[in-house]
Amino acid sequence: MKQYKVVQTFPVPLQDLLRAREDRYKYLDRFPELKNVELLEERKEGNKVYQKRKVKLAESLPKVLATLLSDPSLLEDSVFDLSTNTHEFTIAPPGNDSIVTIKGFSVYKEIGPGESERSYDVKVNSGVFLMGSVIETVIEEIHRHSLEKDKNSISEFLKKGD
């Protein structure tokens, strides 16, 4: 199992960051880097927002993983708690969570006047015999890169406003 932490800061108040996190998926035409993300389901129960997304990985998937997957994509199940600004998620290939599973927990918080951050604690686990640690390392790189792309899309959204 691989574990890592990612902390990203934004030069905006927390409420602006949270709004941008939520709203940018409504403007996918302005964010081509999000074109491979499809929202399959969303529901709100009380202070919790439940989402299921499909992330298509055909272009970015390493060959070692592509051969193991019939569908080159990942499904993300997540719960965002609006009262604590925390996000819990599980990402795995459809019907193949033994190949690789990403579990994460992120916290959005204000760190100063007009500045906020989100921090991620992530675990990657693969059950593939002999290749598990290689797959975990590759997936960690891909996931870290996707978090950076996500940060950039939020930053762009914040610059453009709506």
Side-chain angles (χ1 to χ4, degrees), residues 141-154:
E141 279 180 36
I142 291 171
H143 189 247
R144 280 181 183 269
H145 182 68
S146 76
L147 290 176
E148 193 58 36
K149 281 176 33 180
D150 191 51
K151 178 186 188 235
N152 293 340
S153 76
I154 289 174

Side-chain angles (χ1 to χ4, degrees), residues 37-49:
V37 178
E38 178 186 353
L39 182 63
L40 300 175
E41 183 184 312
E42 181 177 69
R43 72 183 193 287
K44 188 175 176 185
E45 293 176 12
N47 284 328
K48 295 189 178 181
V49 178

Side-chain angles (χ1 to χ4, degrees), residues 64-80:
V64 67
L65 234 78
T67 58
L68 297 171
L69 300 175
S70 56
D71 178 353
S73 65
L74 296 174
L75 288 179
E76 176 183 357
D77 278 304
S78 73
V79 180
F80 192 90

Side-chain angles (χ1 to χ4, degrees), residues 45-88:
E45 293 176 12
N47 284 328
K48 295 189 178 181
V49 178
Y50 297 84
Q51 289 184 328
K52 184 181 287 254
R53 291 193 190 109
K54 183 172 188 171
V55 182
K56 297 175 199 98
L57 295 173
E59 303 89 42
S60 62
L61 205 59
K63 293 214 181 306
V64 67
L65 234 78
T67 58
L68 297 171
L69 300 175
S70 56
D71 178 353
S73 65
L74 296 174
L75 288 179
E76 176 183 357
D77 278 304
S78 73
V79 180
F80 192 90
D81 189 324
L82 298 166
S83 61
T84 59
N85 297 322
T86 56
H87 182 221
E88 202 165 344

Side-chain angles (χ1 to χ4, degrees), residues 65 68 99-100 126 128 131-140:
L65 234 78
L68 297 171
I99 292 175
V100 69
S126 173
V128 176
M131 294 294 291
S133 64
V134 172
I135 290 170
E136 290 168 3
T137 300
V138 167
I139 291 297
E140 176 187 357

